Amino acid sequence: MGLRSIMIFSFLCIFGVPTTIPNAFASPIEQSNELFMEGKRAAKYGKLKRAANYFGQALKIRPQWGLAQLELGIAKYNLNPDDPRSLQAFKMAITLAPNNPDAFFHLGFAYKENNECDKALSQFNQALKLQPNFENARFHKALCLESTGKIQKAINMFEQLSGPTFNHIGALAGLARLYEKNQQLAKAEHALIKLTDIHPKTTIYY
């Protein structure tokens, strides 16, 4: 590698631009797959800006790749939840891959975190139509139901999640919280006992 190449490579490393150069002899699909996997590896180690760059490069090769759009949205959202480009990426992922429940879930989660629960519920419902046992979609839907005052519906969903299929810690905490608010103290205590049996170090905040 010549001096000029070394300088360019160092610049790319320092400023977080993807440094993997796809094999020029590989097909476009192989090149985009290579960039996508580099993005996944970068995201795994918390290098979110680099991950977003890799996913963006993969999309330049395959602009209709819904999964890459979704991963781009996740990386951008985790970098900055207020970045509107993450919502755009989630919406594009849904357009490109309308049968992927994860795309609906992540758009719903972004809406929920922005206190737009009506929009979030619509997305969670779509995710659950595609994957009825989608645990995170059920849980965050229950939280939205609670925050919009649909207490009994939230309790019903928390109860489903606290059963033997899921044993969801957050759902048990939600049940304890809502039972106590409804003055159903015996049920609240039962939920807390079950919760501490599963996870003894759990601290409950109301």
Side-chain angles (χ1 to χ4, degrees), residues 2 19 24 31 33 35 67 78 89 93 115 119 126 131 150 152 160 179 187 192 198:
T19 56
Q31 291 180 18
N33 285 344
L35 288 162
L67 185 57
N78 288 331
N115 296 315
K119 290 182 179 179
Q126 288 296 324
Q131 187 178 324
K150 301 177 178 70
Q152 190 55 52
Q160 293 170 15
Y179 283 148
K187 287 187 174 183
L192 284 173
I198 296 170

Side-chain angles (χ1 to χ4, degrees), residues 21-40:
I21 301 175
N23 184 347
F25 297 102
S27 70
I29 289 179
E30 291 171 332
Q31 291 180 18
S32 61
N33 285 344
E34 183 180 346
L35 288 162
F36 180 84
M37 292 310 299
E38 288 294 333
K40 292 289 285 184

Side-chain angles (χ1 to χ4, degrees), residues 90 94 102-114 116-117 119-124 140 144:
F90 293 145
I94 289 170
D102 287 323
F104 289 101
F105 169 75
H106 282 285
L107 180 58
F109 181 83
Y111 282 139
K112 170 185 164 289
E113 293 299 290
N114 199 39
E116 297 180 86
C117 267
K119 290 182 179 179
L121 284 168
S122 175
Q123 301 305 317
F124 294 144
H140 288 284
C144 272

Side-chain angles (χ1 to χ4, degrees), residues 7 17 25 29 35 55 62 64 67 70 72-73 92 103 108 119 121 127 130-131 145 148 151 178-180 184-185:
M7 291 174 65
V17 180
F25 297 102
I29 289 179
L35 288 162
F55 296 132
R62 289 168 65 187
Q64 302 301 310
L67 185 57
L70 174 58
L72 176 64
M92 181 60 71
K119 290 182 179 179
L121 284 168
L130 294 168
Q131 187 178 324
L145 290 169
T148 54
I151 301 302
L178 294 182
Y179 283 148
E180 186 177 59
Q184 296 172 283
L185 300 183

Side-chain angles (χ1 to χ4, degrees), residues 29-92:
I29 289 179
E30 291 171 332
Q31 291 180 18
S32 61
N33 285 344
E34 183 180 346
L35 288 162
F36 180 84
M37 292 310 299
E38 288 294 333
K40 292 289 285 184
R41 278 189 282 271
K44 179 180 178 180
Y45 292 105
K47 300 182 183 298
L48 298 174
K49 185 175 181 180
R50 181 168 292 185
N53 283 330
Y54 279 125
F55 296 132
Q57 290 297 316
L59 285 164
K60 286 182 180 179
I61 299 172
R62 289 168 65 187
Q64 302 301 310
W65 192 3
L67 185 57
Q69 280 286 355
L70 174 58
E71 293 293 343
L72 176 64
I74 294 170
K76 287 189 176 296
Y77 183 84
N78 288 331
L79 274 169
N80 178 10
D82 296 322
D83 186 345
R85 292 176 297 177
S86 60
L87 290 181
Q88 293 168 8
F90 293 145
K91 291 175 182 178
M92 181 60 71

